[in-house]
Amino acid sequence: MAQSVGIKDVARAAGVSVGTVSNVINRPDTVATETRARVLSAIDRLGYVRSESARQLRAGRSRIMGLLVLDMGNPFFVDVARGAERAARDAGLGVMVCNSAESAGEEAEYLSLFAEQRVRGVLLTPADATGRNIESFRRHGIPFVLVDRVSEGTAECSVSVDDVAGGALAVRHLIDAGHRSIAYVSGPPGFTQVRDRRTGALNALAEAGLGPDSLRELPTERLDVAAGRDAGARLLGLADRPTAVFCANDLLALGVLQAMYAAGVGVPDDLAIVGYDDIEFAAAAAVPLTSVRQPAVTMGALAAEMLLEETEEGGSGEGGGKRAHEHRRVVLQPELVVRRSSLSAR
């Protein structure tokens, strides 16, 4: 195995001190042009790469931000990551993206990894409904911001979307189209987002003078296309099949759409479908999907900016002291995007 090249090797090859090499790397303007060129040439020739872990030990701060999401197979979270990465890059930081796969156990392992790496901070969409993982991670003193989750009862910052309003938008649209029997493909009940979207759906029914029995809930173990296909099969087996379905996310909705297509059930003529998130695939589906849009990129960017504010050093308030970080709870508003999957009037 080839031996790694260290800063002493560069100094020896360039005929300068280790301090001069360090200055070329960290403060190039303090080094004479000719000397700097000689050191850079040695770095290039030897293939020297600075040790980030050593730099972190000296500086006492990491240049890495952790991002832990529920499912990187869901384009919604890809967009969240894009927004977070953009904001982090503008601040000179990198992002370590991890996927809990909706598993509390995997979430705990990744949070331990973040603690071991002493990341600058963490952006987290929790998978553990009990909150135990967050409580355990909080002991490490590493700042974190909740993403796509309201920080109720906690001191941390959060960026989320008003999912109650989003659920109401979806079902109000279906009611306005003439539907009075609606299914809700809901996903795992432990997720706050799933519960809030159901609450919004029930609110819309109540506004229209309809009781909760007008909403037929079909829970699923996951929030993916396969779970949507399974829910679609169960929907087809109902004797009193609803005329419309609202899904807790677009992947579930796309799975339901696939199940209807395979069974020869027309969308939207026989069944109207509304999803949630408005991922890129929603508009490109065989029947373009009506969806409740979440500003995912904006959500990720805002969360990263809030984390950067919290971890910023040197800020000062009145009297010249260090400025205390004020935790914020940002709640964004969703938007209904109407496409062909829900346009059949009854």
Side-chain angles (χ1 to χ4, degrees):
M1 182 181 293
Q3 188 173 2
S4 62
V5 176
I7 193 170
K8 291 182 180 179
D9 299 311
V10 174
R12 189 180 305 112
V16 298
S17 69
V18 169
T20 298
V21 177
S22 178
N23 285 337
V24 169
I25 294 170
N26 298 297
R27 296 175 294 277
D29 293 342
T30 66
V31 182
T33 302
E34 182 180 342
T35 303
R36 186 166 68 241
R38 194 162 70 249
V39 171
L40 290 174
S41 176
I43 287 173
D44 183 61
R45 188 169 65 254
L46 296 175
Y48 169 73
V49 177
R50 178 174 64 173
S51 170
E52 178 62 18
S53 59
R55 192 208 66 80
Q56 287 180 201
L57 286 172
R58 290 192 299 272
R61 303 191 78 201
S62 171
R63 294 177 58 246
I64 299 297
M65 178 187 298
L67 171 63
L68 181 55
V69 299
L70 291 176
D71 180 12
M72 280 305 293
N74 186 338
F76 167 75
F77 288 110
V78 174
D79 285 343
V80 169
R82 282 175 50 218
E85 191 273 338
R86 186 181 304 163
R89 187 178 63 236
D90 289 345
L93 304 183
V95 179
M96 180 191 298
V97 181
C98 298
N99 175 28
S100 70
E102 301 177 17
S103 163
E106 292 192 34
E107 176 182 85
E109 292 177 6
Y110 279 122
L111 288 175
S112 294
L113 175 63
F114 289 152
E116 291 170 7
Q117 296 296 317
R118 301 302 300 175
V119 296
R120 175 78 64 93
V122 174
L123 307 178
L124 171 64
T125 303
D128 177 23
T130 69
R132 285 192 290 264
N133 286 343
I134 287 179
E135 285 303 314
S136 179
F137 184 70
R138 189 179 280 116
R139 295 200 299 266
H140 298 289
I142 298 174
F144 62 91
V145 174
L146 299 181
V147 185
D148 195 30
R149 179 71 58 85
V150 177
S151 57
E152 294 178 346
T154 68
E156 283 73 31
C157 290
S158 67
V159 182
S160 63
V161 165
D162 188 341
D163 284 316
V164 174
L169 281 174
V171 172
R172 194 177 295 125
H173 166 68
L174 291 171
I175 292 170
D176 290 344
H179 298 282
R180 296 295 180 267
S181 176
I182 301 169
Y184 177 44
V185 177
S186 60
F191 289 156
T192 303
Q193 300 94 321
V194 167
R195 297 196 302 269
D196 285 351
R197 291 165 197 178
R198 179 179 182 274
T199 297
L202 291 172
N203 289 348
L205 289 169
E207 290 171 6
L210 300 172
D213 56 343
S214 297
L215 189 72
R216 183 76 169 268
E217 187 165 0
L218 296 173
T220 63
E221 294 183 358
R222 295 186 60 80
L223 289 161
D224 55 23
V225 174
R229 284 196 297 266
D230 175 71
R234 284 183 279 152
L235 188 65
L236 289 167
L238 296 177
D240 53 342
R241 191 169 73 209
T243 61
V245 58
F246 166 45
C247 298
N249 76 0
D250 284 342
L251 296 183
L252 290 172
L254 292 171
V256 171
L257 180 61
Q258 289 179 7
M260 296 305 111
Y261 181 81
V265 174
V267 175
D269 294 333
D270 299 319
L271 183 76
I273 301 177
V274 176
Y276 204 104
D277 290 339
D278 195 34
I279 62 176
E280 184 177 356
F281 299 136
V287 179
L289 183 66
T290 294
S291 184
V292 178
R293 176 179 293 165
Q294 296 199 82
V297 174
T298 299
M299 193 182 303
L302 278 173
E305 289 166 5
M306 292 165 74
L307 187 60
L308 289 166
E309 288 173 9
E310 184 170 357
T311 60
E312 206 172 48
E313 289 184 351
S316 60
E318 294 182 11
K322 187 173 179 180
R323 182 175 61 244
H325 175 74
E326 294 183 6
H327 290 291
R328 292 183 289 143
R329 180 191 297 177
V330 176
V331 180
L332 304 173
Q333 291 303 307
E335 173 189 359
L336 181 70
V337 180
V338 178
R339 298 190 181 95
R340 191 155 60 88
S341 70
S342 65
L343 287 180
S344 178
R346 290 179 176 271

